[in-house]
């Protein structure tokens, strides 16, 4: 008999991805579909898109060949107790007889960075949150992740807001300018160079659109802009405090989200701070979350810890 195959799914606000693999860690198929939001009335659409991505990954392989499925989705932290319900709904949508587990996308991000059962994951993209993870899938502690109005300190939104605020002070003659301020003014495209014009343009958009200035801040900081460097340093301090609230010395910390998986000045600064605050603690960037989801689905088929570790290495490259 052939070993069962397993399927990982990552449902995000930008796109949904699926990955089919075997017990040796070979990727047999991948699929992609549109964004999937599990919160509220959009959950039916999200489940359909997850099924579409899975069907593309399966290709000619029948659903009966799938031995396990793990799906990670944004928004699950705000819906405690919903995992079992959505797991059943997704199982029906996929047409599989295998068990389907539904977890937070932060859990799959953690699994994409380590095969350890316990540790912490720090996610900084548009928003920011840190979570303590136990037993691979249980969320045992949370720090921040409260949204742009109440928290998400050090996030892409936070960087953008601080950059625009510094630009407004400059335009009113209350603060220095520089490359970052000029780049923000140009990107906003205000009809004139006044704080009122910049405010008007920003207020006409969704608040989270301020996150689009995060790359501007990072680029300016790398170029030596003093305003940008100060914002980055403060972001690192916020994220280090967020991580420190849930991380434990010696247990791995996984970094995820657009600000932390690449060598941005925020990521580099946070690594330095974590090394100072929690010496000897492993810190690693997450691979693609869909790889973490696939490993969570397939780890039960590995014969022992060494096999599980090797499967993780093959799927994630970590």
């Amino acid at each position: 008999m052939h070993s069962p195959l397993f399927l990982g799914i990552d449902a995000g606000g930008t796109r949904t991805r699926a990955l089919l693999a075997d017990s040796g860690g070979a990727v047999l198929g991948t699929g992609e579909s549109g964004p999937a939001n599990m919160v509220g009335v959009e959950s039916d659409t999200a489940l359909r898109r997850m099924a579409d991505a899975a069907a593309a990954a399966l290709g000619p392989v029948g659903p009966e060949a799938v031995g396990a499925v793990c799906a990670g989705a944004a928004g699950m932290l705000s819906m405690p107790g919903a995992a079992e319900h959505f797991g059943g709904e997704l199982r029906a949508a996929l047409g599989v007889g295998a068990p389907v587990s539904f977890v937070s996308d932060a859990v799959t991000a953690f699994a994409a960075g380590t095969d350890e059962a316990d540790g912490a994951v720090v996610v900084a993209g548009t928003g920011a949150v840190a979570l303590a993870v136990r037993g691979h899938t249980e969320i045992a502690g949370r720090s921040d992740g409260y949204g742009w109005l109440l928290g998400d300190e050090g996030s892409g939104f936070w960087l953008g807001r601080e950059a625009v605020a510094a630009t407004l002070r400059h335009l009113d003659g209350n603060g220095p300018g520089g490359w970052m301020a000029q780049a923000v003014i140009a990107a906003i495209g205000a009809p004139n160079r006044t704080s009122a014009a910049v405010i008007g343009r920003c207020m006409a958009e969704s608040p989270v659109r301020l996150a689009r200035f995060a790359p501007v801040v990072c680029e300016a900081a790398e170029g030596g802009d003093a305003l940008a460097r100060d914002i980055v340093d403060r972001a690192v301090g916020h994220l280090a405090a967020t991580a420190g609230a849930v991380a434990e010395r010696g247990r791995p910390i996984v970094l995820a989200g657009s600000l932390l998986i690449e060598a941005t000045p925020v990521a580099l600064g946070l690594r330095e701070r974590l090394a100072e605050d929690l010496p000897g603690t492993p810190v690693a960037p997450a691979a693609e979350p869909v790889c973490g989801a696939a490993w969570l689905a397939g780890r039960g088929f590995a014969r022992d810890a060494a096999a599980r570790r090797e499967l993780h290495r093959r799927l994630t490259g970590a």
Side-chain angles (χ1 to χ4, degrees), residues 13-24:
T14 303
R15 61 177 178 170
T16 300
R17 300 183 64 198
L19 185 153
L20 180 70
D22 65 17
S23 58

Side-chain angles (χ1 to χ4, degrees), residues 32-141:
E32 187 171 322
S33 64
N37 183 0
M38 295 305 302
V39 180
V41 297
E42 297 183 29
S43 60
D44 288 344
T45 299
L47 289 167
R48 185 172 68 252
R49 286 177 173 163
M50 295 168 79
D52 289 343
L58 285 168
V61 177
E64 68 279 357
V66 177
V69 180
C70 178
M76 294 302 294
L77 288 176
S78 63
M79 297 183 291
E84 184 175 353
H85 168 72
F86 284 131
E89 293 286 318
L90 182 59
R91 187 170 182 262
L94 297 175
V96 299
V100 175
S101 58
F102 223 106
V103 298
S104 164
D105 57 346
V107 166
T108 53
F110 178 73
T114 181
D115 66 332
E116 294 291 332
D118 304 327
V121 57
V122 184
V123 185
T126 300
V129 66
L131 300 162
V133 179
R134 298 291 180 267
H136 296 293
T137 60
E138 178 188 352
I139 301 299

Side-chain angles (χ1 to χ4, degrees), residues 122 124 235-241 243 253 255 260 264-277 283:
V122 184
V236 167
H238 286 310
L239 291 172
I253 300 173
L255 305 182
L260 301 182
T264 69
V266 176
L268 296 175
L270 181 58
R271 280 176 169 269
E272 291 178 1
R273 278 292 302 273
L274 292 175
E276 294 172 2
D277 296 346
V283 178

Side-chain angles (χ1 to χ4, degrees), residues 155-240:
S155 67
F157 166 81
W158 185 93
L159 287 169
R161 186 191 65 192
E162 293 299 304
V164 174
T167 300
L168 293 173
R169 290 191 292 271
H170 165 65
L171 288 171
D172 282 339
N174 300 321
W179 184 91
M180 183 195 74
Q182 299 307 315
V184 168
I185 294 168
I188 289 175
N192 54 66
R193 292 172 60 88
T194 66
S195 59
V198 170
I199 291 169
R201 283 294 178 93
C202 290
M203 291 296 187
E205 299 181 328
S206 169
V208 296
R209 282 278 291 154
L210 290 176
R212 74 186 189 275
F213 296 113
V216 174
V217 177
C218 290
E219 184 178 354
E222 290 172 333
D225 184 280
L227 272 177
R229 187 68 253 175
D230 175 67
I231 292 172
V232 166
D233 288 344
R234 287 188 287 123
V236 167
H238 286 310
L239 291 172

